[in-house]
Amino acid sequence: MSTSPVDRDVESPVKPDLTRLSLNQKTTNSWGVAQAVAGCVRKGIPAIGLWREPVQDIGVERAAKLVRDAGLRVSSLCRGGFLTASEPAVRQRALDDNRLAVDEAAALGAPCLVLVVGGLPDGSRNLPAARERVAEAVAELAPYAGERGVRLALEPLHPMYCADRAVLSTLAQALDLAEQFPVEQVGVVVDTFHLWWDPEVWTQIARAGARIASFQVCDFNLPIPADALLARGMMGDGVIDFRPFREAVDAAGYSGDIEVEIFNADVWAADPDEVLTTMIQRYADLVL
Amino acid sequence: MSTSPVDRDVESPVKPDLTRLSLNQKTTNSWGVAQAVAGCVRKGIPAIGLWREPVQDIGVERAAKLVRDAGLRVSSLCRGGFLTASEPAVRQRALDDNRLAVDEAAALGAPCLVLVVGGLPDGSRNLPAARERVAEAVAELAPYAGERGVRLALEPLHPMYCADRAVLSTLAQALDLAEQFPVEQVGVVVDTFHLWWDPEVWTQIARAGARIASFQVCDFNLPIPADALLARGMMGDGVIDFRPFREAVDAAGYSGDIEVEIFNADVWAADPDEVLTTMIQRYADLVL
């Protein structure tokens, strides 16, 4: 092996420790499950966070076999939730769909199902009532999930999504809800993008402890794009200081996977293999 | 006077109580101070929230005289702040400019100077350090303001502006800072747009009590526009339930002005007189 400076730069002689790295499938949005699994194997990424739609595209059993045969762990299944509808039939459909998502997570060997709980129903301004319906739905789903070995992972989303995606906005609020249930049934997601601004986040991560079901990283980019959902960026491209987050979840006792989940038009337009290369480097440099 | 249903709709026979209504000048962004003052007088709005730039356009003394001669109250001066720079010369300029803003507020008879504290300095990811510099700057400015009868009003901004406009994101955080100073020197702004999502907001408004220096209302519109600063909407056009906010600040002991402050491209493009008409109606219907 050459030892020229140029080659050292390229070949990264200190191989980064990828044992906790997981590719959330959304980061390589143009890839189906088979391609994402193959990409993880090529790059030495040991875990994958799956999404329901691409899994359903090929069938849950086939997706499970692909992941198993490749020797990958499934770090999470994204996502269930959208539990705020007040109309009984819509609500019932949401609960049924969430039970199906739990079944899929169990079949895939995913330890947790990420829940994006839903925003205000169309035309409603009753935020307390929407939050109450989330609590009722989680109470209905938690035992079902627990019996199947799947943990519901409540994800507090950035407050800019409170109206249309998640009436859970802070880690404190997610923990207040999760703590009403056994720890093996309901946990929380710590996602740097959603929580970086929160002055209470360090206290709440420490409080979360064994409730941390998933740790997701990506950056917060400025300006917020026209589609606000796509403000998530590659680590290092935005404003977040990642290492304190990783150290805080470690200190809280979390030793699980660290998922990189990026919704970003530029990342999605890039060659997914190059995205993985950058992701590994940034993970090693900025998160570890 | 006609009593036909149509006329009743148009003439609003029950005249709304406007005694606490204030026009924040930004809502009629195309108007200078003289036009905004005249608009308030025409519409029976007894108070105005001024902005430094239009005030400086005509001079502080002239602006003060216009408002005084019209018999209006000044509810606030917007705005000081931007106190997070780490570079000493930039920091000194910001402090000097804030002292000037305090002087302007005093000359205008504004009871408070609204502070948008500033985001992360360019290239920085050190949020705790930026927050520390805000605290230090407020400590330096508070006695200066207090001696001139002006209260610094710390405004927590929606977390989507944490990186570029205000590292103060919640009312709890603003109160933690404000409470380090005498109540007549440092208060807080309760702005529905910035705080509506916060599950702690009711507790924190009650805690705020006499610290409430300003109460601002406008709606949170979806989708968030390309310029995220312009997501503020006319009351009733977005997702916020206003009456609980007004009742909460009342219950906390606040009896001051209720400022309508809207940054919105459509509102700014509309005829300002029509904007005032709509504002009065929505205020009466949705806030009172």
Side-chain angles (χ1 to χ4, degrees):
Chain A
M1 192 170 96
S2 161
T3 56
S4 82
V6 168
D7 278 358
R8 269 211 299 276
D9 280 357
V10 171
E11 295 185 11
S12 236
V14 181
K15 214 173 147 67
D17 177 3
L18 303 185
T19 49
R20 296 176 70 187
L21 178 60
S22 174
L23 169 68
N24 183 289
Q25 222 191 324
K26 207 70 188 174
T27 304
T28 52
N29 198 38
S30 63
W31 274 351
V33 174
Q35 290 169 298
V37 164
C40 285
V41 170
R42 271 199 305 282
K43 299 289 185 178
I45 298 167
I48 187 164
L50 296 168
W51 275 68
R52 294 184 70 197
E53 295 76 4
V55 165
Q56 290 169 352
D57 283 346
I58 61 166
V60 175
E61 292 312 321
R62 177 141 174 253
K65 184 172 181 343
L66 276 170
V67 174
R68 206 167 46 236
D69 289 353
L72 298 184
R73 289 188 302 278
V74 178
S75 49
S76 73
L77 178 64
C78 293
R79 60 191 184 200
F82 295 95
L83 298 165
T84 51
S86 51
E87 211 265 289
V90 180
R91 179 170 179 75
Q92 191 54 53
R93 274 202 302 278
L95 288 168
D96 291 346
D97 187 56
N98 274 275
R99 286 192 197 89
L100 178 61
V102 168
D103 295 343
E104 292 167 356
L108 293 163
C112 66
L113 172 69
V114 173
L115 296 190
V116 170
V117 300
L120 292 169
D122 274 353
S124 168
R125 294 183 176 87
N126 195 336
L127 187 54
R131 288 172 169 159
E132 193 46 50
R133 286 195 297 277
V134 170
E136 290 165 7
V138 171
E140 191 161 336
L141 295 170
Y144 184 90
E147 287 162 15
R148 282 149 189 85
V150 173
R151 190 140 73 137
L152 303 179
L154 301 174
E155 182 163 24
L157 257 57
H158 193 287
M160 73 175 141
Y161 306 124
C162 184
D164 57 351
R165 306 199 82 78
V167 295
L168 269 185
S169 302
T170 65
L171 189 52
Q173 188 192 3
L175 287 168
D176 286 347
L177 177 52
E179 287 170 355
Q180 299 171 30
F181 306 95
V183 68
E184 69 278 10
Q185 289 182 12
V186 183
V188 297
V189 181
V190 174
D191 183 311
T192 56
F193 175 87
H194 295 304
L195 303 178
W196 75 277
W197 59 272
D198 185 353
E200 293 295 317
V201 72
W202 312 118
T203 315
Q204 296 300 324
I205 288 176
R207 169 189 168 194
R211 292 277 170 184
I212 301 175
S214 171
F215 177 40
Q216 297 184 330
V217 297
C218 80
D219 219 327
F220 186 96
N221 283 6
L222 282 181
I224 297 166
D227 180 349
L229 205 59
L230 306 184
R232 298 174 72 101
M234 181 63 75
M235 296 84 77
D237 288 352
V239 299
I240 297 178
D241 188 13
F242 290 95
R243 199 162 290 115
F245 267 93
R246 201 261 306 148
E247 290 171 349
V249 299
D250 285 0
Y254 180 77
S255 57
D257 294 314
I258 301 173
E259 256 186 40
V260 178
E261 183 190 44
I262 305 176
F263 291 60
N264 180 297
D266 295 331
V267 170
W268 289 350
D271 171 16
D273 265 299
E274 285 175 21
V275 169
L276 294 190
T277 301
T278 305
M279 177 181 104
I280 287 169
Q281 196 58 54
R282 300 285 181 88
Y283 170 79
D285 291 346
L286 302 173
V287 181
L288 290 184
Chain B
M1 193 171 97
S2 160
T3 55
S4 80
V6 169
D7 277 358
R8 269 211 297 278
D9 280 357
V10 171
E11 296 184 12
S12 232
V14 180
K15 213 172 146 68
D17 176 2
L18 303 186
T19 50
R20 296 176 70 187
L21 179 60
S22 174
L23 169 69
N24 183 289
Q25 224 192 320
K26 207 71 187 175
T27 303
T28 51
N29 198 38
S30 62
W31 274 351
V33 173
Q35 290 168 299
V37 164
C40 286
V41 171
R42 270 199 305 283
K43 299 290 186 178
I45 298 168
I48 186 164
L50 295 168
W51 275 68
R52 294 185 70 196
E53 295 76 3
V55 165
Q56 290 170 351
D57 284 347
I58 61 166
V60 175
E61 292 312 321
R62 178 145 172 248
K65 184 172 179 352
L66 276 169
V67 174
R68 206 166 46 234
D69 290 354
L72 299 183
R73 287 188 304 277
V74 178
S75 50
S76 73
L77 179 65
C78 293
R79 63 192 182 196
F82 296 95
L83 298 165
T84 51
S86 51
E87 211 263 290
V90 180
R91 179 170 180 73
Q92 191 55 53
R93 274 201 301 278
L95 288 168
D96 291 346
D97 187 55
N98 274 275
R99 287 192 196 90
L100 179 61
V102 168
D103 296 344
E104 291 167 358
L108 293 163
C112 66
L113 173 68
V114 173
L115 296 190
V116 170
V117 301
L120 291 169
D122 273 355
S124 167
R125 294 183 175 85
N126 195 336
L127 187 54
R131 288 172 168 160
E132 194 46 52
R133 287 194 297 276
V134 170
E136 290 166 7
V138 170
E140 191 160 337
L141 295 170
Y144 184 90
E147 288 163 13
R148 283 151 188 83
V150 173
R151 190 140 73 137
L152 303 178
L154 301 174
E155 182 162 24
L157 257 59
H158 193 287
M160 75 175 137
Y161 306 124
C162 184
D164 58 352
R165 308 198 79 78
V167 295
L168 270 185
S169 302
T170 65
L171 189 52
Q173 188 191 3
L175 287 168
D176 286 347
L177 177 51
E179 287 170 355
Q180 298 172 30
F181 305 95
V183 68
E184 69 278 9
Q185 289 182 12
V186 184
V188 297
V189 181
V190 174
D191 183 312
T192 56
F193 175 88
H194 295 304
L195 303 177
W196 75 276
W197 59 271
D198 185 353
E200 293 295 318
V201 72
W202 312 119
T203 316
Q204 296 300 323
I205 289 176
R207 169 188 168 194
R211 292 275 170 186
I212 303 175
S214 171
F215 177 40
Q216 297 184 331
V217 297
C218 80
D219 219 328
F220 187 96
N221 282 6
L222 282 181
I224 297 167
D227 181 349
L229 205 58
L230 305 185
R232 299 174 72 101
M234 181 62 74
M235 296 83 77
D237 288 353
V239 298
I240 297 177
D241 188 12
F242 291 94
R243 200 162 287 114
F245 267 93
R246 201 260 306 147
E247 290 171 349
V249 299
D250 285 0
Y254 180 78
S255 57
D257 293 313
I258 301 174
E259 255 185 40
V260 178
E261 184 192 43
I262 305 176
F263 292 59
N264 180 296
D266 294 332
V267 170
W268 289 351
D271 172 15
D273 265 299
E274 284 174 23
V275 169
L276 294 190
T277 301
T278 305
M279 177 181 105
I280 288 169
Q281 196 58 54
R282 300 285 181 87
Y283 170 78
D285 292 346
L286 301 173
V287 181
L288 289 184

